[in-house]
Structures are given as C-alpha cells and as structure tokens.
Amino acid sequence: MCTKVPEGVENNKGNIYMANTSPPSVIKAYKEQFQRDFSFFLKCRSEELVAGGRMVLTILGRKSEDPSSKDGCYIWELLAVALNDMVSEGIIEEEKMDTFNIPQYTPSPNEVRSEVVKEGSFNLNKVEVSQVNWNAYDNAYSPSEELDDNGYSVAKCMRAVAEPLLVSHFGEAIIDEVFRRYREILVERMSKEKTEFINVIVSLTKRG
C-alpha cells in the first residue's frame, strides 16, 4: 500500500522493490511512505463512517517483521530477474533499470496494528493473516502442464498490476518479452518451492 515510489530510493540499483540487497535507507524510505499513506487512508475512511461503523481491510502483506523478507518481496524479485537478464543482453538500458521502482509496501500485522493505534480514529477488533498459494492446485507434486498454467496465471495477474508502470518507464516494445521471461521464471521456481501471497486482514470500528 503506497501511493507513489518513495523519495530516496535512487541507490536501489539492480532491484525494483525492497530486496535483501537493498540499502537500509531504501527500506526506511518505503516504510515511511507506507506509514504516511496508510495513516492518511485511515483518516479519510474515518470521515466517511459514523461512530460505531465497521470496516474490514484485506492488505497484501507479509508475516515477517523484515520488510525485505521473501514473503513480501519474492514476486517482485522474480520480475527483477527477468529485467536484469534483459539488461545483461543489452535489450534494456542499465540506467533505466536502476531508476525503476515499484510503488508498493507489504506490511506485517504489527505494522498495520501500530499505524491504526497511532492514527487513532479506529478501535482495532482483530488482525489475522491468510495465505494464498501461487499454485492453484496446491499439490505436493504438480504435473508440468499444471505448473505452466499456474505460471501463466500468476504472470497474467502481475502483468495487470505492473504493465502500466513498465510501459511508462521502459516503453511498450519490451513488455511481451518481459512477461514471457517472467512466466518461465515463475514456472521454474514454482516447480521447486512452495510460493504464496500473504494477506493481512484487519477489522476496525470507528471510535465515537
């Protein structure tokens, strides 16, 4: 949940989001942008609700307290792999890659809880975490056709999110090739490990 790419992430070279190779200043910038945006979001929603009104939010997040952990960043790290491969082949300019970052933040339950308490408009009823597997079949073993279908589905879902950002920064010419490679990377990783999205679900009541 971020309204824009935070300022101060110019040195996040080789990455397009928070990663374990991102400098601490990049992690800090992303977290502070989330805090500002989520606090403003809560303030605006509180103005729309009567006292005692309830709101349930489902936020793409993470379990870990580490903002650069795999459960919050992996889907973007794999897209960065595809883009970096194209940089190494001269298809994408390195400077273009180094100045592209995703405007998102995947908070932990504690970070969501902290911002709700700090903003002060709502009572916090409940915070839960749920998992959604990238592999829709969710089998210990998936035939190659199923994995390919799931890789296609995940790549298509992510394309709907990322394509406008990529087109704006890199232009339209590379898009089909980016997501062709991305799909192949997804299929390969999904064949070797369990991959999942993490949702943070929060129930709130407007204070009187």
Side-chain angles (χ1 to χ4, degrees):
M1 178 178 282
C2 272
T3 58
K4 64 177 183 177
V5 175
E7 297 178 5
V9 297
E10 296 79 10
N11 57 342
N12 196 28
K13 298 186 184 303
N15 302 309
I16 63 171
Y17 185 52
M18 295 179 295
N20 56 17
T21 57
S22 296
S25 60
V26 169
I27 306 296
K28 182 173 183 285
Y30 266 103
K31 183 172 182 176
E32 290 177 350
Q33 185 68 49
F34 160 74
Q35 291 171 330
R36 288 190 296 270
D37 289 345
F38 191 48
S39 178
F40 184 67
F41 171 84
L42 292 171
K43 179 178 180 297
C44 291
R45 297 295 76 76
S46 72
E47 294 171 359
E48 300 169 349
L49 291 173
V50 298
R54 290 175 176 261
M55 178 169 68
V56 176
L57 303 174
T58 301
I59 304 167
L60 190 63
R62 66 180 194 277
K63 295 177 186 176
S64 171
E65 291 305 315
D66 177 5
S68 64
S69 65
K70 185 175 178 178
D71 60 354
C73 303
Y74 197 40
I75 195 74
W76 294 118
E77 287 181 16
L78 299 184
L79 181 57
V81 170
L83 291 168
N84 277 311
D85 284 348
M86 294 174 73
V87 170
S88 67
E89 294 172 23
I91 301 170
I92 293 175
E93 295 178 13
E94 186 174 3
E95 183 182 358
K96 280 279 189 182
M97 176 64 187
D98 288 342
T99 54
F100 179 71
N101 288 281
I102 296 291
Q104 187 188 5
Y105 188 82
T106 46
S108 70
N110 282 337
E111 287 174 330
V112 172
R113 185 181 291 110
S114 175
E115 289 309 309
V116 170
V117 171
K118 187 164 60 175
E119 194 277 330
S121 296
F122 293 91
N123 290 320
L124 186 64
N125 304 320
K126 199 169 188 179
V127 179
E128 293 184 350
V129 172
S130 66
Q131 295 82 231
V132 179
N133 293 304
W134 295 7
N135 182 354
Y137 297 97
D138 193 24
N139 297 326
Y141 169 75
S142 292
S144 59
E145 306 83 40
E146 292 182 1
L147 282 170
D148 195 53
D149 286 347
N150 278 292
Y152 172 78
S153 296
V154 176
K156 190 174 181 181
C157 173
M158 294 304 294
R159 182 167 183 165
V161 175
E163 182 170 2
L165 301 171
L166 291 165
V167 168
S168 175
H169 192 80
F170 296 104
E172 291 187 17
I174 67 161
I175 299 302
D176 287 343
E177 179 62 13
V178 168
F179 285 98
R180 184 192 67 77
R181 293 175 185 235
Y182 187 41
R183 176 182 174 181
E184 290 179 355
I185 293 167
L186 288 167
V187 170
E188 190 266 336
R189 298 300 174 92
M190 290 166 67
S191 71
K192 296 179 178 178
E193 57 190 303
K194 186 177 178 66
T195 49
E196 58 188 15
F197 293 111
I198 305 298
N199 289 324
V200 177
I201 305 159
V202 55
S203 172
L204 307 170
T205 301
K206 168 76 178 292
R207 288 183 171 178

